[in-house]
Amino acid sequence: MNGQVKRAFKFRFYPTEAQAAELLRTFGCVRKVYNLALQARTEAWTLRGERVGYATTSALLTGWKRTAEFAFLAEVSAVPLQQALRHLQTAFGNFFAKRARYPRFKSRKKSRASAEYTRSAFRWRDGALTLAKMAEPLDIRWSRPLPEGAVPSTATVSRDAAGRWFVSLLCEDLGVKPLPTTDATVGIDVGLDHLLVLSTGEKIDNPRHERRDRLVLARAQRTLCRKQKGSSNRAKARVNLARVHARIADRRTDHLHKITTRLVRENQALVIEDLAVSNMVRNRRLARAIDDAGWREFRQLLEYKANWYGRDVIVVDRWFPSSKLCSVCGALTAAMPLHVRTWTCGCGAIHDRDVNAARNIMAAGLAVPVCGAGVRPQRNPPGGQSATKQKTPRREPQDSSRSRADEVNSGTTRLHRRRAPACSHPR
């Protein structure tokens, strides 16, 4: 990291009635252009076998503005419409690279209402932001200062389901510098009883934000269900429900930011498991608790902050039996049900299930040679059981002379070391 990163700073603002009307009209036009371009590209391929790119859809946009049906597209700024076409091009690029599914049409009720303005579509003067087609600057609540001398390159305006308005300013931050190196390394095991358990033995409590507000959430949901569809009272109840969800999400994100920032500052290398969260939430009994814990968001925050500040994030393969392996002698237990929180190994070591798993994860991460960095973890082989579980031998208690590092170096684990890609995030 050279100290120059593109960083998004998100602020809340309060538009006037005229500004809100202009932005809502822009949001609708952005959504319409995206859907029209997606339909045109889909029909061109399915009917004629023709590939349509950004340049073609940009020319189509010019023609749409000249028709009587879509003449309203010319009433808003052209830049957000062009950015919508670029976003669609990016979506198709991710689809062809097999990083995402086929692009879907944007719904007026469910899709995110946003519009992106580039430098040519807004004026930045003396800390005031004025968007195209507007006479007055936005009334922004500057909760924190922008980097000294920073000039936004893009401004993304959005409105969430709770009716709150936000503007995200993308700037170059020259103040992000690698932290001083340290010898500290930590293994991290995520859970539900405790949000995180570290290899040092520290346990970070799970706040359970959704559970704490579950009664308020249930009351708001029942109120919404009793309202007649299409009525103004139902719209008010929907906004009230969205505010409850927004408060839960904001508290969760704030908590995860504080934890990840502390872990990155204190440790040079952080070892985590490569969990398939999307598959784990299919368990109906645990899905709500897993979503409330925010495991996926925790990993995203940890990775981009480690990339910013010169730290390493080492990811251990998801099939590594961290909970069933004794961190002292390396013996593998045949079964370890979830209700077993403390167990005794044949060597006499008494383990806390989560602390033992965190220590095994850290040992596995330290055993990775640097030359193997960047290798993606292998997945479960077609034959059924993973190679990790097949190769890991069951050890007798008397074989305690062999260290955990030797156990890992013998090839019984598969993991990879990676530097996370740069992420534009408000913190």
Side-chain angles (χ1 to χ4, degrees), residues 7 52 93 153 244 271 277 336 342 367 414:
R7 190 173 180 182
V52 175
S153 58
V244 178
V271 190
V277 180
M336 186 68 62
T342 304
R414 302 188 314 280

Side-chain angles (χ1 to χ4, degrees), residues 95-113:
F95 168 71
F96 291 129
K98 298 182 179 181
R99 292 190 297 265
R101 294 186 294 180
Y102 192 82
R104 294 177 291 181
F105 291 98
K106 292 184 179 294
S107 169
R108 184 175 66 89
K109 293 183 179 180
K110 297 182 179 180
S111 62
R112 179 172 177 263

Side-chain angles (χ1 to χ4, degrees), residues 134-316:
M134 295 185 185
E136 300 177 356
L138 299 181
D139 183 13
I140 301 176
R141 297 296 186 266
W142 300 102
S143 55
R144 53 178 170 164
L146 292 178
E148 185 177 357
V151 177
S153 58
T154 62
T156 303
V157 182
S158 61
R159 183 174 184 263
D160 65 3
R164 301 179 301 178
W165 294 86
F166 295 96
V167 58
S168 180
L169 304 178
L170 185 63
C171 310
E172 282 194 3
D173 191 355
L174 305 179
V176 178
K177 299 179 181 179
L179 295 172
T181 57
T182 178
D183 297 331
T185 304
V186 66
I188 305 172
D189 180 63
V190 298
L192 297 178
D193 290 340
H194 294 86
L195 180 62
L196 301 177
V197 178
L198 309 182
S199 56
T200 58
E202 178 185 356
K203 296 184 178 181
I204 300 176
D205 292 335
N206 185 1
R208 293 182 171 89
H209 299 284
E210 188 270 340
R211 178 181 291 185
R212 289 168 54 188
D213 287 352
R214 186 165 296 178
L215 292 179
V216 180
L217 185 62
R219 189 179 300 112
Q221 290 171 337
R222 288 195 299 267
T223 302
L224 176 63
C225 292
R226 287 195 295 264
K227 303 303 180 183
Q228 183 179 359
K229 292 186 177 180
S231 65
S232 58
N233 285 336
R234 184 178 178 88
K236 294 177 183 178
R238 184 199 58 78
V239 172
N240 183 52
L241 176 61
R243 287 174 179 171
V244 178
H245 280 293
R247 182 168 62 248
I248 295 173
D250 290 345
R251 290 175 179 175
R252 180 187 301 117
T253 301
D254 180 71
H255 183 65
L256 292 178
H257 267 297
K258 293 176 181 177
I259 293 175
T260 52
T261 299
R262 180 174 71 87
L263 291 176
V264 168
R265 286 177 177 175
E266 295 176 354
N267 301 278
Q268 182 66 34
L270 306 101
V271 190
I272 59 176
E273 282 186 296
D274 183 25
L275 297 179
V277 180
S278 58
N279 294 335
M280 299 174 71
V281 295
R282 296 177 183 176
N283 186 333
R284 296 183 179 179
R285 295 184 178 181
L286 299 177
R288 195 170 190 174
I290 293 174
D291 286 336
D292 192 18
W295 291 349
R296 182 184 288 108
E297 184 178 5
F298 166 76
R299 176 170 174 177
Q300 292 174 347
L301 300 181
L302 192 71
E303 286 183 337
Y304 87 74
K305 290 181 182 181
N307 180 74
W308 279 3
Y309 299 110
R311 304 308 199 194
D312 290 320
V313 173
I314 307 172
V315 183
V316 179

Side-chain angles (χ1 to χ4, degrees), residues 344-355:
T344 303
C345 180
C347 65
I350 301 176
H351 295 294
D352 179 285
R353 177 194 182 100
D354 298 328
V355 175

